[in-house]
Amino acid sequence: MIIAIDGPAASGKGTLAKRIARHFGFHHLDTGLLYRAVARDVRAVDGTLDSPEDAGKAAENLDPETFDDPTLRHPGIGNAASVVAQVPIVRTILRKFQEDFAAREPGAVLDGRDIGTVVCPHADVKIFVIADTGVRAERRFLELHERGEAVTREEIFDQIERRDKRDSERADSPMKPAADALLLDTTKLGIDETFDAAVELIKRKIGQLGA
Ligand code: DC
């Protein structure tokens, strides 16, 4: 069983995916972490983020043991990840890791930008999470503010807009809902309501599959 959860920056897809995985007893992979780790490793050697040589080498040598590195959650890394994510060789290398993860039993939940379209086009359930940019920016601002990061609402809003534009306009595997994805608009939903709505969608879909 594969559940693909895609959506733009700060849409709440990561929190949702983690909870869905726990609820169904499945494995969870936050695929954004892979791109974040590549960006971190390119920076560590003073490399160029959009260079196929530098970013490709970092992707090739990626160590999954470092995915719990807390620096990967820093806001600046999100933007850098969005830049390395434009490089086709990086996407090709990272796809293999994601495909292997998706095959894990009894099931896997992967969240990202291109899971339903490219990484797991045959996923059993595909959810594309959306929310107004202002609402996403406010949620991310509050989260960072709570962690003591010195950021402004305007900065966060601009970063999210820029990142969405880059992620949805890149040539290779742009962020977009798969034709058979179920759209989940969380603009007016809290975390629990989002989770309940997603479980409903998944149960309905699994029912249709006859599982
Ligand atoms: O989900 P996130 O914010 O951690 O992702 C960071 C960046 O990584 C995102 O802006 C684009 C890239 N990414 C991607 O291109 N494809 C994915 N499946 C996941 C993330």
Side-chain angles (χ1 to χ4, degrees), residues 10-84:
S11 57
K13 62 188 185 315
T15 306
L16 175 63
K18 203 183 295 166
R19 252 179 106 169
I20 292 289
R22 207 184 314 132
H23 180 79
F24 289 100
F26 294 165
H27 304 279
H28 169 234
L29 181 64
D30 168 356
T31 65
L33 282 181
L34 277 61
Y35 294 91
R36 286 170 182 258
V38 170
R40 172 202 58 199
D41 295 350
V42 172
R43 278 180 165 176
V45 294
D46 279 330
T48 304
L49 291 170
D50 60 359
S51 141
E53 290 73 30
D54 294 356
K57 196 164 159 201
E60 199 73 72
N61 294 317
L62 200 60
D63 177 2
E65 298 281 319
T66 68
F67 291 168
D68 57 0
D69 170 2
T71 66
L72 296 183
R73 307 274 176 196
H74 288 182
I77 285 277
N79 292 321
S82 166
V83 176
V84 298

Side-chain angles (χ1 to χ4, degrees), residues 2-211:
I2 301 174
I3 300 178
I5 302 187
D6 290 301
S11 57
K13 62 188 185 315
T15 306
L16 175 63
K18 203 183 295 166
R19 252 179 106 169
I20 292 289
R22 207 184 314 132
H23 180 79
F24 289 100
F26 294 165
H27 304 279
H28 169 234
L29 181 64
D30 168 356
T31 65
L33 282 181
L34 277 61
Y35 294 91
R36 286 170 182 258
V38 170
R40 172 202 58 199
D41 295 350
V42 172
R43 278 180 165 176
V45 294
D46 279 330
T48 304
L49 291 170
D50 60 359
S51 141
E53 290 73 30
D54 294 356
K57 196 164 159 201
E60 199 73 72
N61 294 317
L62 200 60
D63 177 2
E65 298 281 319
T66 68
F67 291 168
D68 57 0
D69 170 2
T71 66
L72 296 183
R73 307 274 176 196
H74 288 182
I77 285 277
N79 292 321
S82 166
V83 176
V84 298
Q86 293 175 291
V87 181
I89 185 67
V90 170
R91 305 202 70 85
T92 303
I93 294 167
L94 298 187
R95 190 177 314 150
K96 172 81 179 92
F97 181 89
Q98 297 171 77
E99 285 167 351
D100 290 347
F101 190 96
R104 291 175 73 172
E105 294 293 348
V109 181
L110 288 83
D111 71 86
R113 302 289 186 293
D114 62 339
I115 308 303
T117 50
V118 177
V119 177
C120 303
H122 304 299
D124 300 279
V125 185
K126 300 177 186 177
I127 296 178
F128 195 90
V129 184
I130 52 169
D132 284 355
T133 312
V135 169
R136 288 187 281 131
E138 182 65 18
R139 287 180 191 155
R140 183 51 57 88
F141 170 77
L142 292 175
E143 181 192 324
L144 294 172
H145 192 70
E146 234 165 66
R147 279 191 348 216
E149 307 252 2
V151 288
T152 65
R153 287 187 164 80
E154 292 70 29
E155 271 166 14
I156 300 295
F157 189 94
D158 286 354
Q159 276 178 14
I160 286 181
E161 271 202 322
R162 271 208 309 277
R163 198 132 73 87
D164 286 352
K165 186 169 159 54
R166 202 187 289 119
D167 291 345
S168 57
E169 291 182 0
R170 67 175 173 236
D172 188 347
S173 322
M175 168 177 73
K176 65 173 177 202
D180 53 347
L182 309 161
L183 284 190
L184 179 58
D185 186 343
T186 71
T187 303
K188 297 195 172 109
L189 303 182
I191 293 177
D192 290 343
E193 291 167 316
T194 298
F195 171 72
D196 292 344
V199 169
E200 266 316 299
L201 289 177
I202 292 166
K203 283 188 176 158
R204 211 178 314 146
K205 183 75 193 198
I206 291 176
Q208 284 166 10
L209 295 172

